[in-house]
Amino acid sequence: VLELYTSEPNTFFLKPLIALAEKRAAFTTKYFDAASLEQFADGFLSDLESSLQLEREGPLLVHDGIVISSSFFMLEYISDALPGASLTPAEPYDAYRARAWGQYLGAQLGSIVPVLGAAKYLQPHLAALDPALVDRRIAAIEPIERRSGWMAVRDGTLSTPYLKAAADRLGAPIARVETALSGGSWLAGPAFSIADIDAYPMLRVLPDLAPAAVNAQSTPRICEYIERIAARDSVREALKAARTDRPERQFVPGLEASRWG
Amino acid sequence: MSVILYHWEPNANSGKPMLTLAEKGVAYESQYLDLLQFDQHKPAYLAINPDGTIPALVHGSRVLTESTPMMEYIDDAFKGPPLKPTGPEARWRMRWWMRFFDSYFAPSLSMIGWSIFVGPAVRLRPEEDLRAAIDRIPLESRRIAWRKAMFNEFSPEEIAESKRRVLFATKALEQHLSRFTWIAGDTYTLGDINGFNLGYALPLSQPDHCNETKTPHIMEWLRRIYERPAARETWAKGRTQMSARIKILERAP
């Protein structure tokens, strides 16, 4: 039995939907509204790994009772465990590159994109909810790092300088991706892989959230890359999980930035 | 194809590929870089890894610089005993915990380590030398880290938060090892190699939180790894008091 707990197909949540569609896997969708904190309702699925995962919010894949969390490793799991062509590069050095992208972009884009999206779309969404419900759900969040991400959005403490600094931090990872794409269509070797499935859901929202950093003039290869992936059947299939008209506007707080400064 | 590893002490990120290569039985050329002399920011090394981070593995014409994916590469590319579990669930668990070690546990533990070991060790030198050393660091994030360590700019709040996280993560690891023999499950894997490099000195650095009474499973797990020939061989390459801390894991006669 394969069940995917997912919210709107955007950022972390879009990744496994694409991988499952690439695999043509049969699965059941368990939909929840992450932006309305439904994952903190009593009785929602949780275990040690899913509660401590560093992305904090994200999809959960339940395969014969095993709960898989953390989106990049979920992609590796889908590639590994389900029938169909592997989505992990076969050549060891290409597999290394895919995992190195997963680690690097996971930390960089995973901590920047959600903050920019939360300031623009999640903050007004939370403000429109019943304050008593929001407070009750947030108060129940463990561990404290996960709770503080939500509190910053609720309390509007994502200041303009903080958001500016986050947008500035996009420079290095965006330049790395743009440069890497000069060597080929995909991030890790000759074929579309888990590295691309991991990067695409974070990159596709940046022309909206950070138009100064990602646009047709300064990052033409990234813009073409986004279009190339958007045209895949698996991505069209994945986006059918949406229950709103604008899934690209649903955000959750994401990873915390490095505590080293 | 030649195998060259640029590394510092068998500790943290450098120790991960060192122990992995030893477990696989892969002979390699060791290039020791002294972190405290900033060898990793000198031109000769920046020509290999422009980011100036260690370790780096050079296999033929390939250069690898991310230590955890590097361990998977070593297991994938070389003969020798497999260091990844065979089932996808156990492989997922191994990777999940390696990320928890790398991105949650290690940054907090290393902040404490840098404030009490690395900082004081380099602060013996003239301030202008240190400022010049900072200017040679390629990555902004590493410049910030070095500045904090050299001039002891860690705030009491930051250190207190790091201590809280180390205690929290230690408890989570103890809970995990009370359910599983090894990080991934039934077999010794890269997850254990990663965790050992992070945690071998915890009983010494965190004696109130990591000991026979509070974390018996962690203690036994660390000793089982320490008794492996590959671990003995790897830590014998250490040159400083830091890696000598491993002696804490000797069993009482």
Side-chain angles (χ1 to χ4, degrees):
Chain A
V1 184
L2 190 62
E3 293 175 326
L4 182 70
Y5 285 66
T6 188
S7 197
E8 284 296 276
N10 200 32
T11 64
F12 306 109
F13 296 100
L14 180 53
K15 300 178 191 181
L17 285 162
I18 296 173
L20 289 165
E22 291 281 344
K23 286 278 193 176
R24 302 178 193 279
F27 64 99
T28 311
T29 299
K30 302 267 190 181
Y31 187 92
F32 63 100
D33 183 353
S36 302
L37 301 139
E38 288 182 0
Q39 64 276 39
F40 303 115
D42 287 343
F44 192 86
L45 181 66
S46 177
D47 67 358
L48 180 68
E49 283 86 3
S50 63
S51 66
L52 297 186
Q53 65 155 326
L54 303 179
E55 288 167 353
R56 303 193 280 208
E57 313 309 320
L60 298 174
L61 184 70
V62 185
H63 193 191
D64 298 336
I66 306 299
V67 183
I68 303 293
S69 57
S70 194
S71 60
F72 184 75
F73 303 132
M74 189 180 293
L75 298 180
E76 290 226 52
Y77 180 84
I78 291 168
S79 173
D80 242 15
L82 301 184
S86 174
L87 301 168
T88 309
E91 209 285 316
Y93 187 63
D94 289 338
Y96 161 80
R97 293 202 297 157
R99 291 179 181 122
W101 278 118
Q103 179 133 350
Y104 175 71
L105 294 182
Q108 300 290 322
L109 298 183
S111 66
I112 301 170
V113 173
V115 163
L116 300 176
K120 189 164 177 178
Y121 297 114
L122 180 59
Q123 206 153 329
H125 174 83
L126 279 188
L129 297 176
D130 170 15
L133 175 81
V134 171
D135 290 352
R136 194 168 66 245
R137 292 258 166 94
I138 288 180
I141 301 175
E142 293 289 350
I144 193 169
E145 296 87 350
R146 193 174 177 187
R147 193 187 318 155
S148 60
W150 284 97
M151 287 167 65
V153 179
R154 178 195 65 187
D155 302 340
T157 53
L158 299 171
S159 66
T160 307
Y162 182 85
L163 293 169
K164 170 79 168 55
D168 287 348
R169 283 200 293 120
L170 273 176
I174 290 300
R176 270 191 195 202
V177 175
E178 183 71 14
T179 303
L181 291 173
S182 68
S185 297
W186 310 114
L187 286 178
F192 178 78
S193 76
I194 51 173
D196 305 297
I197 301 175
D198 188 63
Y200 167 73
M202 292 298 179
L203 293 171
R204 74 194 278 264
V205 293
L206 287 175
D208 171 33
L209 298 177
V214 177
N215 58 65
Q217 280 72 46
S218 53
T219 59
R221 293 190 195 97
I222 290 178
C223 291
E224 286 165 19
Y225 176 74
I226 291 171
E227 283 180 23
R228 191 154 58 240
I229 297 177
R232 294 180 77 86
D233 290 344
S234 61
V235 174
R236 292 180 203 190
E237 182 64 28
L239 290 170
K240 289 183 187 161
R243 305 233 174 143
T244 71
D245 295 340
R246 308 300 295 266
E248 68 279 9
R249 294 185 174 182
Q250 194 198 64
F251 288 90
V252 287
L255 285 85
E256 68 178 342
S258 165
R259 293 181 53 247
W260 275 80
Chain B
M1 262 195 297
S2 65
V3 182
I4 307 170
L5 184 70
Y6 295 82
H7 63 91
W8 185 43
E9 289 286 279
N11 184 66
N13 288 340
S14 283
K16 292 191 264 177
M18 289 173 78
L19 182 51
T20 307
L21 288 162
E23 292 283 5
K24 293 295 273 192
V26 176
Y28 63 96
E29 178 185 333
S30 162
Q31 290 282 348
Y32 185 93
L33 300 178
D34 190 342
L35 185 93
L36 304 177
Q37 297 296 330
F38 312 113
D39 286 349
Q40 72 278 20
H41 305 137
K42 290 175 182 163
Y45 183 66
L46 294 180
I48 290 151
N49 177 11
D51 284 347
T53 58
I54 35 180
L57 178 72
V58 181
H59 184 205
S61 60
R62 296 161 167 185
V63 181
L64 297 83
T65 57
E66 288 276 2
S67 60
T68 294
M70 187 188 297
M71 291 195 293
E72 290 214 40
Y73 175 84
I74 294 166
D75 191 51
D76 290 344
F78 295 96
K79 295 193 180 76
L83 295 170
K84 291 197 248 189
T86 48
E89 177 200 340
R91 277 200 291 274
W92 167 79
R93 194 177 299 113
M94 175 189 85
R95 292 176 179 133
W96 189 100
W97 279 91
M98 293 203 293
R99 179 63 59 87
F100 183 72
F101 292 146
D102 290 345
S103 300
Y104 186 91
F105 205 154
S108 290
L109 192 60
S110 70
M111 189 181 285
I112 298 168
W114 278 46
S115 72
I116 63 175
F117 178 79
V118 175
V122 298
R123 227 172 286 146
L124 302 169
R125 278 185 275 160
E127 188 173 330
E128 59 268 28
D129 289 6
L130 297 180
R131 300 236 175 247
I134 288 177
D135 289 342
R136 287 195 296 271
I137 301 176
L139 293 182
E140 170 67 12
S141 59
R142 302 315 298 156
R143 276 198 294 277
I144 293 171
W146 274 105
R147 200 174 293 128
K148 284 185 165 184
M150 284 175 183
F151 306 113
N152 200 23
E153 289 172 357
F154 299 105
S155 70
E157 293 77 18
E158 277 182 302
I159 296 293
E161 176 63 7
S162 288
K163 288 181 177 166
R164 185 191 71 78
R165 288 180 186 223
V166 166
L167 175 55
F168 182 84
T170 303
K171 285 181 176 167
L173 178 59
E174 175 66 16
Q175 190 183 337
H176 181 63
L177 289 171
S178 70
R179 291 180 60 215
F180 295 96
T181 308
W182 301 102
I183 292 298
D186 298 334
T187 55
Y188 172 81
T189 68
L190 302 176
D192 303 290
I193 294 177
N194 185 316
F196 186 75
N197 272 283
L198 167 84
Y200 71 90
L202 275 175
L204 198 67
S205 66
Q206 308 288 327
D208 295 340
H209 305 308
C210 187
N211 56 47
E212 310 296 343
T213 315
K214 287 188 179 164
T215 59
H217 296 93
I218 293 178
M219 296 298 295
E220 184 56 29
W221 170 70
L222 290 174
R223 288 194 186 106
R224 268 186 277 132
I225 301 172
Y226 176 58
E227 285 160 3
R228 298 177 70 85
R232 301 281 171 154
E233 177 193 322
T234 300
W235 263 261
K237 296 176 196 279
R239 301 182 187 183
T240 70
Q241 281 304 307
M242 189 179 61
S243 50
R245 297 178 302 172
I246 201 162
K247 296 285 177 210
I248 185 92
L249 299 176
E250 290 287 348
R251 286 185 201 270

